Amino acid sequence: MAVIGLGLIGGSMAAAVRQNRLAGTVVAFDRRYEDALLGQELGVIDEAAASIADAVTGADLVVVAVPVRATESVLAEIKPHLAPGTLLTDVGSTKASFVGAVESVFGELGANIIPGHPIAGSEKSGVAAANPALFAQHKVILTPGEGTDPVKLDWLTRLWEGCGATVLTMSVAYHDEVLAATSHLPHLIAFSLVDTLAGEDQNMDIFRYAAGGFRDFTRIAASDPVMWHDIFLSNRDAVLRVIDHFSRDLDQLRTAIANQDSATLLTVFSRAKAAREHFSKMLSGQAYVTDMSQNQVTFHLKPGGRMVGDIRVPGDKSISHRSIMLGALADGVTEVNGFLEGEDSLATLQAFRDMGVTIEGPDNGYVRIYGVGIDGLQAPRGPLYLGNSGTAMRLFSGLLAAQPFDSELTGDESLSKRPMGRVADPLKAMGAVIETAEAGRPPLKIRGGQALTGIHYEMPVASAQVKSCLLLAGLYSEGATSVTEPAPTRDHTERMLEGFGYHVHRNGAVSSVSGGGRLTATAIDVPADISSAAFFLVAASIAPDSDLTLRHVGMNPTRVGVITILRLMGADIEVSNEREVGGEPVADLRVRSANLKGIDIPEDQVPLAIDEFPVLFIAAACAEGETILRGAEELRVKESDRIQVMADGLEALGVRTTVTPDGIVIPGGQTIGGGSVDSHGDHRIAMSFAVASLRAVGDIVINDCANVATSFPGFVELARSTGIQISAEGI
Ligand code: NAP
């Protein structure tokens, strides 16, 4: 391998290649021979070449690592010595300029010439600053041409990966646009700001008192002037576009300050703050909430305890989602309290910000949404990233199918495997144009500007998400859109549409909307999630001497199976203060200890309590007599096979059960022993066994509990404050 230009980047690449033994011999030429000798002395390279001819002759790879405007003359010097099969690449910060230089020297971008740009660097320059770890965990962009030899591309990719980098490929033009915005403009601003302030009379004082923020912000103004001079002149058009855009936005802020226009200032700042918090996650396709999947969180529980207190568990996820969606589409300002700050609802919130909706918060569950009206969404600048949220993706597809602009919906790795045909097919029948990846999977590419027509759709499988998706598309469709469900599903969308003043006609299994209406902003106090409340309902029922009040719990009839079942088992649950919020019924629940008895769970209650069975199994183990569950096959395909995982966990604590194909039989009155339980990453399993500790006789350890934090933020603290003797390790 030959490196031409042994400075920071050339030297670092040479050192990384050597350290990782990715090439036989690394030779370098630098126009200052002493720099090449220094590189040899420092162990950055194997050999210093006295001329370009010496370096290039016989090399299988030549890397040009000189300032971009020096590239063309260096290529001309290299050309006579380059063997036909040699791979030629560069590291320059602008790519159209490199391709231009190649074309003027070689006539065309041949199959063996691959432009490259490592997105890593520092303000230092020269070979003495070479660092073999510079590219580790950084990206390298390659911009191959149409005729690039795939074998060479693969080789170069592996070489960079061997240096610890992640390799991306993109077009030359796109590279230059992206870098103009994300790298070149910030450098220009940093240079300019420091220069402006240095010219002020009191500059010494200004710099003396400069706070950390100024130092961080202007660090890049210490970069190499020649290099940046070259970059700006080489990427002139893209840089000018982004400067103009920025100048307009800066001017808008200036006007807002001059006019004391608080709304504009707050809008811009809160949008920027949110984008800053989320952009790195959006780009890397990671979780919005601190990514804990790498973390091993373990719960430790001491046996016994009683449950007392007056609490409110976090807000309902389905309702949190929908409050943002409908608030964004409404006329006026919607205020939301009790918003669940979990992964899924944050993804929805960010997606609306990406479509031009101003949203303040979330701040302790408070969110303020400045609705843009039903036709006010703007085209997002890029794909909308929906994290892990299947609900968001299905609901968004209905909403976006009817917008005037194109959009693309993406998600994390696991969402990208989930089939979306269930929503795409009926939407296409309404006139939507949607492209999916193979087998109906995300990303979904939605073509805007289609006129949708209402349909009557008989859902083959009962799904609240499909129903909601079609009703949202129906808001924009000609005529009526109606959906018939084969079995009752959650009706949060219908209720919330009514809460926003949009009439949904409901008749038995059929829900329908007519297009062309408008939504009116409202205030929503998101009901506490009954699925989260369920852990505390069971906990206070099984722990002796308990008396616990749960406030503002969502009592949607499609969700209250857990209360019905617990009451059939003899639980003492008092419902009071029943009221309606944003179309949803809520109530306060007071739970006291009770002697539960085993029951044959009525099958009609199963779909109404589907998420609550893990904790109901704990109630059953503590009851007198046998509890039988049937007709719950769906439990086997949730986040885990909840029947088997619960049975295994109970067994680890010495509780016998009999698993059946569609349910389980749990003989009650058994002693819950101490032991170690694996939750298989399923948040509901983890929380259920935490509840079991109240009646256990020994310590319980629950492994793999990281996901609890996303569905139930603050669970450990709330459980501890009410009487469960829990501590968490690894958070
Ligand atoms: P550097 O440390 O200044 O190294 C540049 C090297 O090129 C020096 O050895 C220099 O020799 C040599 N050179 C300059 N003009 C030349 C010419 N006309 N003919 C032959 N050699 C010449 O700069 P660098 O940071 O490594 O940057 C190299 C390339 O990497 C640039 O294209 C830059 O855009 C790109 N890049 C830089 C960064 C970064 O953060 N620094 C990041 C990514 C990509 P002298 O010592 O004699 O000047």
Side-chain angles (χ1 to χ4, degrees):
M1 165 176 159
V3 177
I4 310 301
L6 196 61
L8 171 73
I9 300 293
S12 298
M13 189 179 176
V17 165
R18 280 199 81 218
Q19 192 178 72
N20 295 297
R21 298 177 203 287
L22 302 169
T25 311
V26 180
V27 184
F29 168 78
D30 195 272
R31 65 177 179 179
R32 274 197 287 214
Y33 185 56
E34 59 273 24
D35 278 0
L37 284 176
L38 177 63
Q40 193 179 325
E41 230 169 77
L42 294 171
V44 167
I45 54 169
D46 294 297
E47 273 172 37
S51 67
I52 283 204
D54 284 355
V56 171
T57 307
D60 46 7
L61 168 67
V62 174
V63 181
V64 176
V66 299
V68 285
R69 287 173 76 85
T71 303
E72 189 170 330
S73 62
V74 168
L75 288 177
E77 280 188 68
I78 289 174
K79 187 181 170 194
H81 313 288
L82 205 61
T86 302
L87 170 57
L88 176 65
T89 186
D90 80 319
V91 296
S93 305
T94 60
K95 296 281 48 106
S97 63
F98 178 72
V99 173
V102 167
E103 283 168 353
S104 94
V105 174
F106 294 91
E108 57 164 7
L109 187 70
N112 298 332
I113 306 180
I114 305 176
H117 177 201
I119 311 294
S122 97
E123 315 77 72
K124 299 186 189 134
S125 54
V127 64
N131 169 12
L134 190 67
F135 311 109
Q137 270 138 37
H138 282 80
K139 294 193 171 65
V140 171
I141 298 175
L142 301 180
T143 60
E146 282 184 0
T148 298
D149 177 353
V151 176
K152 291 276 168 24
L153 180 61
D154 187 51
W155 179 31
L156 187 59
T157 302
R158 278 185 287 115
L159 185 90
W160 276 116
E161 286 172 351
C163 299
T166 307
V167 176
L168 309 173
T169 55
M170 60 178 69
S171 72
V172 166
Y174 190 61
H175 169 277
D176 287 358
E177 284 292 331
V178 169
L179 269 291
T182 57
S183 169
H184 307 169
L185 179 66
H187 277 85
L188 189 80
I189 295 170
F191 282 127
S192 163
L193 179 65
V194 174
D195 183 53
T196 302
L197 296 188
E200 302 266 326
D201 287 347
Q202 336 79 328
N203 66 57
M204 286 311 289
D205 266 359
I206 288 183
F207 289 119
R208 187 169 302 132
Y209 299 126
F214 177 80
R215 234 168 270 147
D216 289 350
F217 185 79
T218 55
R219 177 181 58 78
I220 50 183
S223 304
D224 184 48
V226 176
M227 179 173 111
W228 283 99
H229 156 273
D230 282 15
I231 289 173
F232 286 115
L233 297 186
S234 302
N235 198 19
R236 181 169 161 266
D237 294 347
V239 167
L240 289 181
R241 268 194 297 278
V242 70
I243 292 177
D244 289 346
H245 187 170
F246 177 69
S247 305
R248 277 196 305 277
D249 285 0
L250 191 64
D251 215 41
Q252 190 196 354
L253 284 177
R254 188 194 180 285
T255 310
I257 294 168
N259 298 343
Q260 309 234 347
D261 173 1
S262 308
T264 300
L265 293 177
L266 286 173
T267 299
V268 173
F269 296 165
S270 52
R271 196 165 57 206
K273 176 176 190 296
R276 179 65 185 83
E277 280 164 3
H278 294 312
F279 81 93
S280 50
K281 293 171 182 168
M282 280 152 41
L283 288 178
S284 57
Q286 281 171 1
Y288 281 88
V289 179
T290 316
D291 182 15
M292 302 229 288
S293 51
Q294 309 293 327
N295 269 14
Q296 271 312 325
V297 174
T298 307
F299 288 172
H300 294 271
L301 294 125
K302 294 275 173 219
R306 59 189 280 255
M307 298 293 289
V308 250
D310 191 328
I311 59 169
R312 177 163 168 170
V313 299
D316 187 285
K317 183 162 90 174
S318 311
I319 299 175
S320 294
H321 260 304
R322 288 160 174 83
S323 66
I324 301 295
M325 290 198 150
L326 300 190
L329 298 176
D331 297 313
V333 178
T334 291
E335 289 187 298
V336 182
N337 274 295
F339 177 78
L340 175 71
E341 295 180 32
E343 163 86 18
D344 289 7
S345 17
L346 288 176
T348 295
L349 196 144
Q350 185 59 35
F352 278 101
R353 282 189 169 127
D354 292 346
M355 291 189 284
V357 182
T358 299
I359 303 174
E360 287 172 23
D363 184 6
N364 263 325
Y366 175 76
V367 183
R368 181 193 275 260
I369 309 151
Y370 294 82
V372 293
I374 194 120
D375 294 316
L377 295 180
Q378 292 165 16
R381 288 189 202 170
L384 296 170
Y385 172 68
L386 299 176
N388 184 243
S389 179
T391 307
M393 186 160 286
R394 297 198 173 99
L395 269 56
F396 269 110
S397 57
L399 181 62
L400 294 173
Q403 300 301 323
F405 49 80
D406 292 352
S407 50
E408 180 174 345
L409 299 175
T410 65
D412 70 3
E413 209 184 318
S414 106
L415 182 57
S416 303
K417 290 187 188 130
R418 309 235 288 266
M420 293 293 147
R422 279 207 287 182
V423 289
D425 295 341
L427 285 173
K428 285 179 190 163
M430 295 172 81
V433 179
I434 302 181
E435 241 179 74
T436 62
E438 207 188 317
R441 301 205 153 80
L444 298 187
K445 290 188 180 154
I446 302 173
R447 178 88 50 79
Q450 312 300 318
L452 304 190
T453 315
I455 54 166
H456 179 86
Y457 188 65
E458 306 246 354
M459 281 195 289
V461 180
S463 160
Q465 293 174 354
V466 175
K467 176 177 63 173
S468 302
C469 159
L470 299 182
L471 292 177
L472 288 173
L475 303 182
Y476 294 86
S477 301
E478 178 74 37
T481 300
S482 53
V483 186
T484 305
E485 49 191 12
T489 63
R490 296 179 182 185
D491 61 354
H492 299 301
T493 303
E494 296 92 304
R495 284 172 180 273
M496 198 173 284
L497 279 169
E498 290 280 0
F500 276 85
Y502 204 111
H503 180 57
V504 181
H505 186 73
R506 302 176 72 180
N507 185 7
V510 187
S511 300
S512 48
V513 291
S514 296
R518 298 197 73 84
L519 298 157
T520 309
T522 184
I524 297 177
D525 193 359
V526 177
D529 194 332
I530 191 163
S531 298
S532 299
F535 300 104
F536 290 86
L537 295 177
V538 171
S541 298
I542 63 170
D545 299 324
S546 296
D547 186 348
L548 184 69
T549 300
L550 294 151
R551 299 283 172 193
H552 201 73
V553 180
M555 296 290 278
N556 185 302
T558 59
R559 303 282 299 279
V560 292
V562 62
I563 295 180
T564 312
I565 292 169
L566 279 173
R567 279 181 161 166
L568 287 172
M569 295 175 81
D572 178 0
I573 303 174
E574 202 181 294
V575 178
S576 64
N577 199 11
E578 290 178 77
R579 57 212 184 272
E580 194 154 294
V581 178
E584 291 280 347
V586 293
D588 297 337
L589 305 179
R590 181 174 178 192
V591 202
R592 279 168 283 196
S593 322
N595 288 322
L596 301 183
K597 54 185 195 311
I599 58 163
D600 201 339
I601 296 172
E603 276 197 46
D604 63 352
Q605 291 300 313
V606 171
L608 310 184
I610 196 75
D611 285 334
E612 287 70 66
F613 280 109
V615 77
L616 283 170
F617 291 179
I618 302 297
C622 298
E624 236 171 72
E626 190 173 72
T627 297
I628 304 172
L629 170 68
R630 297 188 189 85
E633 298 87 343
E634 204 194 321
L635 272 182
R636 292 189 171 272
V637 293
K638 288 279 180 179
E639 280 86 333
S640 66
D641 173 348
R642 283 192 172 147
I643 293 182
Q644 194 59 52
V645 171
M646 280 303 293
D648 292 346
L650 284 166
E651 194 184 314
L653 303 181
V655 176
R656 278 173 300 105
T657 63
T658 307
V659 170
T660 59
D662 66 340
I664 192 166
V665 179
I666 305 177
Q670 302 187 58
T671 302
I672 300 177
S676 175
V677 172
D678 187 349
S679 77
H680 288 263
D682 185 329
H683 52 124
R684 296 201 198 280
I685 305 274
M687 290 186 274
S688 299
F689 281 105
V691 169
S693 70
L694 290 160
R695 286 279 291 269
V697 294
D699 290 2
I700 297 177
V701 174
I702 310 168
N703 296 312
D704 209 355
C705 301
N707 290 332
V708 169
T710 54
S711 90
F712 194 144
F715 171 75
V716 171
E717 294 73 20
L718 200 59
R720 199 186 300 130
S721 75
T722 45
I724 296 176
Q725 300 180 64
I726 183 169
S727 59
E729 180 197 338
I731 287 184

